[in-house]
């Protein structure tokens, strides 16, 4: 009787081990199917002046999870970040997170600091190239700066994004504060950063532009 019981126990153990392994493998496969969007940005994406859960990136992730969209977001936005800083951080981020998609939301601080237009463009080009080398699909977020920096400078600054997107064949995402920045009720007191009321609007805007691109493999 003892021998029979021991044999039965071994038999069940043999059955259970493969099932457990298959279960773990299935979980890994499911998670591996998710697209990973790395956002390399500045304070506009880092929820400046707000709680992280109030920011548009967190709201967008929640939206996608609620809709069972298989896209995970890695928010690598840092307040005050410039294209120089982004270039220094990007290789490590790509290696760490292995994203399938990268959104470059940088250049605003360069413009506000009056950096050379050509330098900004070259840095944006380098960011796109580095991200592409990792086989990630790259999106370039258009940025704009206040008109009091001079008409010629602000025009050339914004045109950088169209030129880089065109030259490198990447999708340019329109500036998400285009309309919001004109409404003082949606902006913080500094007139540069969107407030909590603006964040759901930005999340909806970005969802409209990014969801179909990522899911359609563009």
């Amino acid at each position: 009787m003892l021998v029979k019981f021991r044999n039965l126990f071994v038999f069940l153990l043999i059955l259970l081990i493969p099932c457990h392994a298959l279960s773990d493998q299935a979980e890994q496969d499911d998670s591996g199917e998710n697209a990973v969007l790395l956002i390399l940005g500045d304070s506009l994406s880092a929820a400046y002046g707000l709680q992280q859960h109030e920011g548009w990136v967190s709201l967008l992730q929640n939206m996608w999870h609620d809709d069972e969209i298989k896209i995970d977001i890695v928010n690598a936005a840092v307040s005050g970040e410039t294209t120089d800083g982004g270039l220094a951080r990007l290789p490590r981020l790509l290696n760490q997170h292995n994203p399938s998609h990268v959104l470059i939301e940088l250049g605003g601080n360069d413009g506000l600091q009056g950096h050379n237009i050509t330098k900004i463009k070259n840095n944006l080009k380098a960011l796109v190239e580095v991200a592409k080398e990792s086989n990630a699909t790259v999106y370039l977020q258009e940025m704009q700066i206040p008109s009091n920096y001079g008409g010629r400078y602000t025009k050339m600054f914004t045109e950088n994004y169209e030129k880089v997107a065109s030259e490198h064949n990447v999708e340019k995402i329109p500036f998400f504060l285009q309309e919001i920045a004109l409404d003082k009720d949606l902006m913080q007191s500094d007139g540069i950063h969107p407030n909590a009321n603006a964040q759901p609007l930005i999340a909806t805007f970005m969802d409209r532009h990014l969801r179909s691109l990522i899911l359609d493999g563009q």
Side-chain angles (χ1 to χ4, degrees):
M1 183 71 178
L2 181 58
V3 173
K4 288 183 179 180
F5 178 81
R6 185 183 296 114
N7 289 341
L8 177 62
F9 175 79
V10 172
F11 177 73
L12 290 174
L13 185 61
I14 291 173
L15 285 178
L16 286 172
I17 290 175
C19 289
H20 179 69
L22 286 173
S23 175
D24 286 348
Q25 185 63 46
E27 290 176 2
Q28 290 172 3
D29 287 346
D30 284 345
S31 63
E33 291 177 2
N34 285 20
V36 177
L37 173 64
L38 172 71
I39 298 180
L40 184 70
D42 54 28
S43 56
L44 297 182
S45 297
Y48 176 86
L50 307 169
Q51 297 294 317
Q52 283 298 311
H53 69 271
E54 296 178 297
W56 72 263
V57 177
S58 292
L59 297 178
L60 180 60
Q61 181 70 93
N62 292 340
M63 188 185 303
W64 286 346
H65 280 173
D66 291 345
D67 291 346
E68 298 184 349
I69 302 299
K70 292 187 176 183
I71 306 172
D72 295 326
I73 302 177
V74 175
N75 190 0
V78 175
S79 293
E81 187 68 290
T82 62
T83 55
D84 284 328
L87 268 174
R89 291 195 299 129
L90 183 55
R92 177 182 59 80
L93 291 168
L94 293 172
N95 184 63
Q96 179 180 354
H97 300 289
N98 191 29
S100 55
H101 300 74
V102 175
L103 173 68
I104 298 170
E105 183 269 296
L106 287 175
N109 287 314
D110 301 63
L112 293 176
Q113 295 170 20
H115 289 190
N116 180 275
I117 290 294
T118 301
K119 178 190 175 185
I120 298 173
K121 181 182 178 182
N122 289 339
N123 279 356
L124 291 173
K125 288 171 62 177
L127 285 165
V128 171
E129 290 167 356
V130 171
K132 275 193 165 187
E133 287 173 0
S134 72
N135 295 319
T137 299
V138 182
Y139 308 122
L140 184 61
Q141 179 76 61
E142 179 184 88
M143 303 298 288
Q144 296 181 15
I145 56 176
S147 58
N148 59 352
Y149 280 76
R152 182 172 179 273
Y153 184 85
T154 55
K155 182 175 182 292
M156 292 174 66
F157 173 84
T158 302
E159 287 177 346
N160 267 346
Y161 294 88
E162 181 64 43
K163 291 177 179 177
V164 172
S166 177
E167 291 171 8
H168 289 271
N169 193 30
V170 298
E171 193 75 27
K172 178 174 70 70
I173 308 300
F175 185 47
F176 53 62
L177 294 185
Q178 182 76 49
E179 303 297 330
I180 290 174
L182 301 177
D183 187 343
K184 65 180 182 179
D185 291 332
L186 296 176
M187 299 296 289
Q188 297 184 38
S189 58
D190 61 12
I192 295 175
H193 298 95
N195 61 27
N197 294 329
Q199 302 300 317
L201 301 178
I202 300 173
T204 299
F205 178 92
M206 295 301 286
D207 173 59
R208 188 165 68 247
H209 286 278
L210 290 175
R211 184 189 296 211
S212 59
L213 286 174
I214 296 174
L215 295 182
D216 292 343
Q218 300 179 36

